[in-house]
Amino acid sequence: MTTEEIKAEIESCQTSLGIEFGSTRIKAVLINSKFEPVAGGSFEWENQLVNGVWTYDLDLIHKGLQTCYKDLKKDVKEKYGVTLKSFKAFGVSAMMHGYLAFDKDDNLLVPFRTWRNTITGQASKELSEKFNFPVPERWSISHLYQAILNKEPHVSSIKNVYTLAGYIHYMLTGEKVLGVGDASGMFPIDRNTGNYKAEYAATFKEMTGFDVSEVFPKVLPAGAAAGNLTEKGAAFLDPDGDLVPGVPMCPPEGDAGTGMAATNSVRVKTGNISAGTSIFSMVVLDKDLKKTYPGLIDIVTTPDGIPVAMVHCNNCTGENNYWINLFDEVVQTMGFSASKGELFDKLIGKSLEADKDVGGLLSYNYLSGETITGFNSGRPLFVRSENCNFTLANFMRSLMFTALGANRKGMDILFDENVSIDSMFGAGGYFKTEAGLKYMAASIHTPVSAMETAGEGGPWGMAILASFMADNKGKVLPDFLDSEVFGSCKKTTAEAEPELVESFNIFYERYLKGLAVEKAAVENL
């Protein structure tokens, strides 16, 4: 589209907006009628460990949302010379899981407990046994039950529990609803009803007295109407007063669901890997797994309610950022300058020159606990023997490989289950370099593709889901994505190169043995 055509669509409210709360950035993407990103905004933030709990302050959540939208408005004004006032459809998404508990007057009862926390082990274990269904520690129901087990005073005042996306949607619309994909990370979903599984809900009510259908948001599938932007919501989002209330909003979703939409991975036997601060692999199942794997494989759903096997790991590229910051400091100390993007590209590119055995180096990226390998807390580590080949290329490959270590453990389970995968797509910061795509393919010995739109990620996927709600063209979600969004989209595919597969396997064997070192670090540092 030309600039004038995009301007006309913005003025005639033919664009759709997606805003996603990621781990390190809140990002807005505005798309035109051809699903192309035409403007964006962002706000950088970071979670904090406060009193042993990973959290984001509620005021920062509010500030981040407003700042992100203001940045979007500025971008629209600079590119097209118009003031953003409304859109055809709007949707919000965020990191899945976690625990935002409110009383009857909408007061937050305890600080937001994010997906990153590994403080609900007892609850997760008991619920998994009671339901005979894997209930991970980060799920909202685990947080609620752990608070009950801990006899926390706030429990008696709980009226509503939300995910972050559900809370933002409620704040903007007054509607207590949630997309089925995000809801599947709160409580198990029945694939036949598309709602919280009644049998498990009844069991939980017997155990605790809590009715999840009353405390948790109402579940909606992709394409359903989920309310409209209220006058209060519009005034909050845009304090300048330019935003017009009444915009139709789609069901709020989790970052897993928007990742599936953004990679065209909602049809059975398709899969995707989202790799950024955390990493999760998802495969849409054509049949149920033979066994349950508590703590290893989660069962969530696509935005339209189809079961998905999910390998979720808390840590991926977060530790890389610290090392790049250190290298940046070295560069500046020497009187030179380079952008962070250039440093990432050059240093990660250098890793392609590494030795097959990665020089004997070992590193761990555990900024927080990693359930899949049995850790409730983490310690980032770099370890080497006295006679290793300590080069920059080997060091950088060790960082890139360790980011995929925990994910490999979960994917091995799916391969052992003979789960069918027709295609695997990647999205997220890990795939911004050629090396990242190659290493991911090597780590799971499977070809992995990245679309030219992969860099837009979750907020773009959320904007697509908003467009789908506004006009689905008479199609179900998989067909809509195939024909309307991705019909002409270019992709890059990395095959599982035998030499890199061997290199990763050598490193992975060292990674598994070295977990004892990581355990000692957690216990003694």
Side-chain angles (χ1 to χ4, degrees), residues 322-338 340 343 347:
Y322 284 94
W323 284 106
I324 293 296
N325 287 339
L326 179 65
F327 290 135
D328 183 41
E329 189 176 345
V330 172
V331 169
Q332 292 185 39
T333 300
M334 296 300 295
F336 302 108
S337 64
K340 291 288 181 65
L343 281 172
L347 293 175

Side-chain angles (χ1 to χ4, degrees), residues 176-180 183 195-196 212-220 252:
K176 300 174 184 178
V177 299
L178 198 61
V180 64
N195 207 336
Y196 302 121
V212 296
S213 66
E214 294 180 358
V215 177
F216 288 178
K218 179 182 177 182
V219 184
L220 296 175

Side-chain angles (χ1 to χ4, degrees), residues 54 115-116 314-315 365-370 376-379:
W54 289 102
W115 58 270
R116 178 168 252 175
N314 290 343
N315 303 282
N365 60 335
Y366 290 10
L367 290 169
S368 64
E370 195 60 80
N376 290 325
S377 60
R379 299 292 185 274

Side-chain angles (χ1 to χ4, degrees), residues 40-43 66-76:
S42 65
F43 176 79
Q66 291 176 325
T67 305
C68 178
Y69 184 79
K70 184 176 182 179
D71 196 40
L72 170 69
K73 279 184 64 180
K74 178 183 176 184
D75 193 41
V76 169

Side-chain angles (χ1 to χ4, degrees), residues 157-484:
S157 300
I158 292 175
K159 175 65 175 177
N160 294 295
V161 174
Y162 301 101
T163 62
L164 181 54
Y167 166 67
I168 296 297
H169 186 88
Y170 171 67
M171 190 172 66
L172 297 178
T173 66
E175 299 288 339
K176 300 174 184 178
V177 299
L178 198 61
V180 64
D182 203 11
S184 70
M186 294 191 81
F187 194 87
I189 296 294
D190 188 325
R191 70 181 302 167
N192 296 315
T193 66
N195 207 336
Y196 302 121
K197 196 167 181 65
E199 176 187 351
Y200 301 162
T203 298
F204 190 74
K205 187 173 183 179
E206 289 177 10
M207 294 167 60
T208 66
F210 276 88
D211 186 342
V212 296
S213 66
E214 294 180 358
V215 177
F216 288 178
K218 179 182 177 182
V219 184
L220 296 175
N228 299 82
L229 184 66
T230 62
E231 187 173 338
K232 181 180 178 182
F236 178 86
L237 188 58
D238 183 14
D240 293 338
D242 296 317
L243 182 58
V244 178
V247 178
M249 294 193 66
C250 68
E253 262 300 345
D255 50 359
T258 58
M260 291 182 228
T263 55
N264 194 21
S265 303
V266 301
R267 195 181 295 279
V268 294
K269 298 185 181 182
T270 63
N272 77 95
I273 303 175
S274 176
T277 304
S278 64
I279 178 171
F280 45 87
S281 300
M282 293 170 288
V283 179
V284 187
L285 298 172
D286 60 337
K287 57 185 177 182
D288 293 336
L289 299 180
K290 300 183 187 72
K291 296 167 54 180
T292 61
Y293 301 90
L296 299 174
I297 305 296
D298 306 345
I299 302 299
V300 293
T301 79
T302 64
D304 54 344
I306 307 301
V308 173
M310 180 185 197
V311 178
H312 186 285
C313 309
N314 290 343
N315 303 282
C316 186
T317 62
E319 178 66 355
N320 292 22
N321 295 331
Y322 284 94
W323 284 106
I324 293 296
N325 287 339
L326 179 65
F327 290 135
D328 183 41
E329 189 176 345
V330 172
V331 169
Q332 292 185 39
T333 300
M334 296 300 295
F336 302 108
S337 64
S339 68
K340 291 288 181 65
E342 187 177 5
L343 281 172
F344 270 108
D345 290 344
K346 293 285 187 181
L347 293 175
I348 292 174
K350 184 71 175 176
S351 71
L352 290 170
E353 303 172 16
D355 300 330
K356 184 181 293 186
D357 68 351
V358 200
L361 307 185
L362 177 61
S363 57
Y364 289 98
N365 60 335
Y366 290 10
L367 290 169
S368 64
E370 195 60 80
T371 303
I372 202 165
T373 50
F375 287 86
N376 290 325
S377 60
R379 299 292 185 274
L381 286 181
F382 170 66
V383 185
R384 66 185 182 91
S385 63
E386 68 276 13
N387 60 349
C388 69
N389 190 18
F390 189 11
T391 66
L392 180 60
N394 285 332
F395 177 73
M396 291 306 302
R397 185 175 288 190
S398 80
L399 294 183
M400 293 296 286
F401 274 4
T402 200
L404 309 180
N407 182 72
R408 165 63 178 268
K409 184 174 182 180
M411 288 300 294
D412 278 347
I413 293 172
L414 297 186
F415 290 128
D416 289 343
E417 278 263 359
N418 295 314
V419 170
S420 299
I421 305 175
D422 288 343
S423 61
M424 204 76 181
F425 289 90
Y430 193 89
F431 298 99
K432 287 185 177 179
T433 65
E434 176 191 8
L437 194 61
K438 286 175 175 286
Y439 293 155
M440 187 66 76
S443 74
I444 60 172
H445 42 82
T446 301
V448 178
S449 301
M451 296 185 182
E452 61 182 357
T453 52
E456 298 299 336
W460 181 64
M462 192 68 246
I464 290 171
L465 291 173
S467 290
F468 176 71
M469 182 271 300
D471 182 9
N472 61 22
K473 311 292 185 182
K475 300 176 180 178
V476 295
L477 183 60
D479 293 342
F480 177 85
L481 294 177
D482 277 345
S483 62
E484 303 298 323

